Amino acid sequence: MGSDAEMAIELSETSIIIQQLVDAPRDRVWHAWTAPNEIDRWWGPIGTTTTTRKMHVETGGEWIYTMTDADGTGFPHRVTFKSVVKPDRIDYTLKPDEPEVSDQLEVSVQFTEQAGNTHVRMDMLFESPADRDDAIEYGVAEGTSETLARLASIFEDEDRSGVTGPS
């Protein structure tokens, strides 16, 4: 996985910001983030798997997926894309895909090319300091850090295998 030197976590009163340097060109990282067969390889904390049921990465589009933990418990989620600017930025709302749950999270992801690598910055915005604190207690910062480290690791695996994937 990516080293700690390649990752940074910042906290403000109502946000968690996680940054990860990925050893791959921005177009390749964008593809890994927006193609169902790619994102299912790495999305979620260590020990989880992700299964995409629907994914349309465009402004107004949706991504519906289930993240399954090591015990086999599935957690359905729905992402609604508020703004998609290829290959620079994705803004979305994330919520459990359950009608009775109203909790949601506003997320902005920026992809910046840096000398052939990609700097990924993920801003998670909460409605209140208490909501942010609850998310930290629940493990959102740790889980998101693991998720971005898993993203970085797929490119390490490709480098070792000689596979580069579509760009």
Side-chain angles (χ1 to χ4, degrees):
M1 304 259 168
S3 72
D4 291 339
E6 297 169 332
M7 178 173 291
I9 300 173
E10 301 171 38
L11 304 175
S12 76
E13 192 170 285
T14 58
S15 70
I16 300 172
I17 300 167
I18 301 179
Q19 301 180 67
Q20 174 75 49
L21 185 63
V22 178
D23 185 16
R26 182 170 63 168
D27 287 343
R28 180 65 188 103
V29 175
W30 180 270
H31 180 77
W33 201 284
T34 59
N37 61 323
E38 291 280 326
I39 202 164
D40 285 356
R41 292 173 56 198
W42 61 269
W43 185 264
I46 295 168
T48 65
T49 59
T50 295
T51 305
T52 294
R53 295 192 321 262
K54 172 184 173 184
M55 185 180 224
H56 298 287
V57 184
E58 59 189 29
T59 301
E62 290 184 316
W63 174 31
I64 300 171
Y65 68 93
T66 300
M67 190 172 2
T68 305
D69 68 15
D71 296 332
T73 304
F75 300 91
H77 290 85
R78 178 179 300 265
V79 166
T80 302
F81 296 105
K82 294 170 30 179
S83 176
V84 177
V85 181
K86 181 181 179 179
D88 299 318
R89 182 183 188 107
I90 301 172
D91 297 323
Y92 62 88
T93 302
L94 169 67
K95 68 182 274 334
D97 193 22
E98 301 169 12
E100 67 279 3
V101 179
S102 62
D103 293 344
Q104 63 181 30
L105 177 61
E106 300 298 321
V107 181
S108 178
V109 185
Q110 298 170 40
F111 305 87
T112 307
E113 186 90 27
Q114 289 186 338
N117 295 319
T118 304
H119 178 256
V120 177
R121 176 185 168 121
M122 188 173 203
D123 293 54
M124 294 170 280
L125 307 172
F126 300 88
E127 290 185 14
S128 70
D131 288 347
R132 192 224 54 179
D133 292 346
D134 288 347
I136 290 171
E137 186 174 316
Y138 184 70
V140 168
E142 180 182 347
T144 303
S145 297
E146 290 177 2
T147 299
L148 293 182
R150 287 180 69 189
L151 168 64
S153 75
I154 68 168
F155 299 105
E156 293 170 5
D157 293 345
E158 288 178 356
D159 287 346
R160 284 192 291 273
S161 70
V163 175
T164 58
S167 47

